[in-house]
Amino acid sequence: MFPRIKDELYKWYSVNKRDLPWRNDRSPYKIWLSEVILQQTRVQQGISYYLRFLERFPDVYSLARADEQEVLYFWQGLGYYSRARNLHFAANQIVHNYNGLFPETQKDLMNLKGVGEYTAAAIASIVFNEPIAVVDGNVFRVLSRLFDINIPINNSEGKKAFRQKANELLDKQQPGLFNEALMEFGALQCKVKPDCHSCPMQPDCQAFNSGKTAELPFKNAIKPRVKRFLHFLLLQHNGRVFLTKRTENDIWKNLFQPLLIETGSADVLAPETFRRKLKLKEVQIRYLCRYEHFLTHRHLVTCFYEGVTKELVKYPHGQWVATDNRGDLPIPRLIEKFFEQYTTTQY
Ligand code: SF4
């Protein structure tokens, strides 16, 4: 059965594969960059970021030389900023520890910061032809359905079993082509709502033949997101606003935001609370709006306030910037959305 699946897969891929910018050049730098961008981002959104990032940082040397703040700025809006910090760190590892050359095996690639099993397997197989399977969400879905595998895909045992299956199926002669074709098949044909009627795998698909496509892949119950309540005070003084850098090991590390008080509820804070906790004296404060924002493991309930001050206060890691020109300070997407709504109407 395996040879027939492979033949069908390659035929399907040659007709259906998308023309994506990283498919025109198999350099490890470009494959690495595209894989990191696509880890948590949809392809359509990822393309523009990929092209813009590549224009500014065309190779591993330019990325290594750059300031981390600039790298974060070019990542702004993609979220999961640790990916950008790790890219920058790993670029320096490649330049300084590997003479600018990427390691060529999955095992060695995993020495680079932020490069896990999946990304390392993708680079090793696509660029260096290492016979190793790449297993992403698309591959879980396809394999679970083709072979009617009921093991949960969101625990380590399940992941191990799927990796084993993918490696059994792998075309050892053309591992990169096989991996890309299987992932593409999952992304376009065997989607969450699969297009079984035009699928060439249908005769061999166990889930289709037993009517179980909607039940697979199987997942264990997911833990609920942790709820956090963030109250942002946008201090302004003569057309400038005050932003501080997040330095803690937490979401949005090294990105800039207004002053913040985190509490245990979404109740609007009294102006006095800001004055007391942030040691502000002459400041007029009013509540503006509330947004909810979802990250993979967190549900952020955010309230925004505006504070007009006569004094140019100072806090560590903070700076005053023009309201309508925040330069190239990297800012979380949520804060950017707030500025888009309020810069023209409120100031
Ligand atoms: Fe996926 Fe349906 Fe094809 Fe099976 S028949 S591989 S479920 S698209």
Side-chain angles (χ1 to χ4, degrees):
M1 187 165 96
F2 283 5
R4 195 167 71 232
I5 288 180
K6 277 175 208 158
D7 289 349
E8 290 300 344
L9 180 66
Y10 290 150
K11 267 193 254 163
W12 178 93
Y13 188 59
S14 67
V15 175
N16 294 288
K17 73 171 173 189
R18 290 168 290 184
D19 181 19
L20 301 173
W22 45 87
R23 289 202 173 134
N24 304 325
D25 184 338
R26 314 266 81 181
S27 81
Y29 178 69
K30 291 178 182 172
I31 297 295
W32 174 47
L33 179 60
S34 68
E35 289 297 340
V36 174
I37 288 178
L38 294 180
Q39 274 166 22
Q40 312 277 354
T41 306
R42 287 193 312 277
V43 169
Q44 273 322 309
Q45 189 197 5
I47 289 174
S48 56
Y49 276 89
Y50 171 83
L51 294 173
R52 209 164 70 98
F53 201 91
L54 211 53
E55 199 180 333
R56 169 59 190 90
F57 310 111
D59 52 38
V60 73
Y61 290 99
S62 49
L63 179 57
R65 267 197 312 270
D67 190 70
E68 186 194 82
Q69 191 161 308
E70 192 188 5
V71 178
L72 288 170
Y73 175 71
F74 274 80
W75 202 262
Q76 189 171 300
L78 270 180
Y80 302 97
Y81 292 89
S82 58
R83 292 183 291 169
R85 286 191 293 271
N86 289 341
L87 270 177
H88 182 240
F89 190 96
N92 277 288
Q93 285 181 292
I94 294 164
V95 168
H96 300 297
N97 305 349
Y98 295 91
N99 291 325
L101 297 172
F102 274 74
E104 298 190 2
T105 62
Q106 185 202 33
K107 185 168 168 279
D108 292 343
L109 282 158
M110 284 172 67
N111 291 329
L112 301 175
K113 191 153 188 208
V115 177
E117 233 168 284
Y118 164 81
T119 309
I123 302 169
S125 65
I126 296 170
V127 182
F128 301 113
N129 227 23
E130 183 178 349
I132 187 144
V134 180
V135 185
D136 70 350
N138 292 314
V139 173
F140 282 132
R141 198 163 52 248
V142 176
L143 296 185
S144 69
R145 289 171 176 168
L146 275 177
F147 301 100
D148 190 5
I149 305 173
N150 289 293
I151 308 167
I153 60 170
N154 55 344
N155 66 24
S156 51
E157 237 173 272
K159 285 183 179 141
K160 196 172 158 200
F162 275 92
R163 264 200 303 276
Q164 206 172 326
K165 191 75 190 169
N167 276 306
E168 274 170 39
L169 197 61
L170 183 73
D171 179 348
K172 308 272 187 305
Q173 306 306 313
Q174 313 178 82
L177 174 68
F178 176 85
N179 284 330
E180 285 193 291
L182 196 59
M183 288 190 278
E184 190 80 334
F185 182 77
L188 301 181
Q189 184 84 36
C190 194
K191 299 172 286 191
V192 175
K193 285 192 179 163
D195 186 358
C196 299
H197 293 289
S198 67
C199 178
M201 309 284 190
Q202 204 194 81
D204 291 316
C205 178
Q206 296 184 28
F208 179 81
N209 291 317
S210 56
K212 287 170 66 183
T213 52
E215 292 161 36
L216 295 168
F218 179 67
K219 276 188 191 170
N220 276 338
I222 297 165
K223 276 196 233 153
R225 290 183 171 103
V226 175
K227 214 167 182 181
R228 289 175 67 173
F229 301 92
L230 310 176
H231 299 262
F232 289 111
L233 175 66
L234 187 70
L235 265 193
Q236 45 162 314
H237 174 86
N238 282 347
R240 289 198 281 168
V241 291
F242 190 74
L243 298 178
T244 57
K245 192 178 193 176
R246 289 180 70 89
T247 52
E248 324 77 61
N249 247 341
D250 190 12
I251 53 168
W252 303 334
K253 187 177 177 194
N254 292 347
L255 271 67
F256 284 77
Q257 66 182 20
L259 292 172
L260 169 70
I261 294 179
E262 185 160 0
T263 67
S265 90
D267 293 346
V268 171
L269 298 184
E272 196 40 45
T273 308
F274 284 107
R275 289 195 193 102
R276 189 168 31 85
K277 291 209 168 194
L278 299 173
K279 298 186 176 39
L280 291 164
K281 286 179 201 140
E282 295 200 38
V283 56
Q284 302 239 331
I285 296 172
R286 69 182 179 116
Y287 169 74
L288 290 175
C289 61
R290 168 182 159 148
Y291 291 119
E292 303 218 2
H293 191 70
F294 294 90
L295 303 174
T296 311
H297 301 294
R298 293 179 185 85
H299 172 186
L300 306 181
V301 181
T302 58
C303 295
F304 285 86
Y305 306 73
E306 166 186 74
V308 180
T309 174
K310 289 185 183 153
E311 50 172 347
L312 276 171
V313 293
K314 280 189 189 153
Y315 291 95
H317 313 294
Q319 56 185 281
W320 286 94
V321 294
T323 306
D324 52 0
N325 179 11
R326 293 178 297 281
D328 53 9
L329 290 187
I331 291 171
R333 179 70 195 127
L334 169 78
I335 308 292
E336 196 57 39
K337 261 184 0 203
F338 165 76
F339 277 120
E340 281 164 14
Q341 296 271 123
Y342 284 91
T343 25
T344 48
T345 54
Q346 298 291 321
Y347 305 125

